[in-house]
Amino acid sequence: MRIPPRQLSQAGGTFTGGTDTIYTANIFSQKGGIFVSTSSGLVVAGNFVRTAGSFTHNNGTIVFAPFSAATQTITTNNATFFNATFSAIDSSAGVTTFADNFVVTNTLTVQKASGSSTRTYTGAGTIIQAQGNVVVTNTAAGAATFGNTTTTLKLTGTANQTIWRSGATFTPQIVVAKTNGTVTLRGSVTLAASTDLIMTGGTLNLNGNNLTVGRNFVVGTGATLRLHGNETVSVTTKRFAHRNSTTWYDRAGGTVTLPNVPYQNLIIGSTG
């Protein structure tokens, strides 16, 4: 379903998206009413602006797909999405700006889908709460840059999650604030300068992958850092292990030399 004349606007009433893909080539605007998205894909090429009303994701995917050299602004009014994909298809450099906070309950994907230029995804004091897997990747010759020092990716909830970064630049502040469950790296992660990784709950499992933190790495009270012991963990400024935090080395065999870093509770040798 394509929405003429190039935009979708709602000020009242109820819109039900059904099961078809919905594509709007320009602005999505909701000023009121009830919007029930499609269970397939809602594709927005222009700005996304919600100021009032209710938004129900219907277990579908919202795709923010600007083209040309467009600057796209995402104002969600604290919406909750199921799958959210930021997938620029432009041939020239552009910027997608996160204007406020939002939640993604299943999979968050940030990528450069086509073109040879750089797409930057950035915010100002924005908190993106991810409760499922996070994928940051390039699928084209161009590059994606996700976040800046005033954008926070907050990993929450009780489900196990993965982070996969491939080729793209990963620059948000990261907070692991899970009440239960594990965040597992599927590849090495490098965070930009002036970027912190703060753990306040749950487990971060490096899973044999290297981790580079641009500023501070904090394993907070009640949090667990799990690793094989053969990874390289590089921290530019300081590495903290708060009281009642746990570091868990779980390599099944071989020799591991423990680094001279702060520990509180230490587990060695268990793969359980």
Side-chain angles (χ1 to χ4, degrees):
M1 179 189 300
R2 296 179 68 92
I3 305 297
R6 297 172 58 84
Q7 72 179 47
L8 191 159
S9 297
Q10 182 181 18
T14 299
F15 176 90
T16 302
T19 59
D20 291 336
T21 298
I22 300 173
Y23 175 81
T24 174
N26 205 319
I27 297 172
F28 176 101
S29 173
Q30 185 184 16
K31 299 179 181 179
I34 299 170
F35 184 91
V36 180
S37 190
T38 171
S39 60
S40 182
L42 170 61
V43 183
V44 181
N47 292 337
F48 182 90
V49 183
R50 287 193 64 248
T51 55
S54 67
F55 181 97
T56 301
H57 58 60
N58 198 22
N59 290 342
T61 299
I62 186 164
V63 181
F64 300 96
F67 55 87
S68 187
T71 296
Q72 186 180 47
T73 300
I74 312 298
T75 306
T76 73
N77 195 23
N78 297 295
T80 296
F81 304 119
F82 185 65
N83 297 315
T85 298
F86 297 87
S87 183
I89 55 176
D90 55 330
S91 57
S92 302
V95 177
T96 294
T97 301
F98 308 122
D100 59 1
N101 305 335
F102 58 91
V103 178
V104 181
T105 62
N106 196 44
T107 300
L108 169 65
T109 303
V110 181
Q111 64 184 13
K112 185 67 167 61
S114 67
S116 58
S117 60
T118 297
R119 188 77 189 184
T120 301
Y121 301 89
T122 187
T126 304
I127 299 174
I128 301 171
Q129 188 178 152
Q131 298 177 348
N133 297 335
V134 177
V135 179
V136 182
T137 185
N138 293 330
T139 57
T145 298
F146 173 44
N148 58 358
T149 57
T150 59
T151 303
T152 298
L153 175 64
K154 189 174 184 179
L155 301 158
T156 63
T158 60
N160 292 331
Q161 300 170 260
T162 61
I163 297 178
W164 181 42
R165 183 193 71 88
S166 177
T169 302
F170 200 38
T171 59
Q173 310 287 342
I174 296 182
V175 176
V176 180
K178 299 179 67 60
T179 55
N180 200 0
T182 299
V183 177
T184 301
L185 301 189
R186 287 186 56 199
S188 296
V189 169
T190 299
L191 304 180
S194 301
T195 300
D196 298 326
L197 195 162
I198 310 294
M199 298 180 61
T200 63
T203 298
L204 175 63
N205 187 353
L206 301 191
N207 193 34
N209 298 294
N210 297 334
L211 173 67
T212 301
V213 180
R215 192 165 55 185
N216 298 316
F217 181 25
V218 178
V219 183
T221 299
T224 299
L225 172 65
R226 185 167 179 171
L227 61 170
H228 297 337
N230 59 338
E231 303 92 340
T232 298
V233 179
S234 302
V235 180
T236 300
T237 305
K238 288 186 178 181
R239 179 171 171 172
F240 301 92
H242 282 208
R243 182 172 297 177
N244 292 326
S245 66
T246 299
T247 302
W248 183 353
Y249 291 93
D250 64 4
R251 191 173 182 180
T255 300
V256 174
T257 301
L258 301 187
N260 184 18
V261 296
Y263 298 104
Q264 290 295 322
N265 299 312
L266 180 61
I267 301 173
I268 301 175
S270 174
T271 59

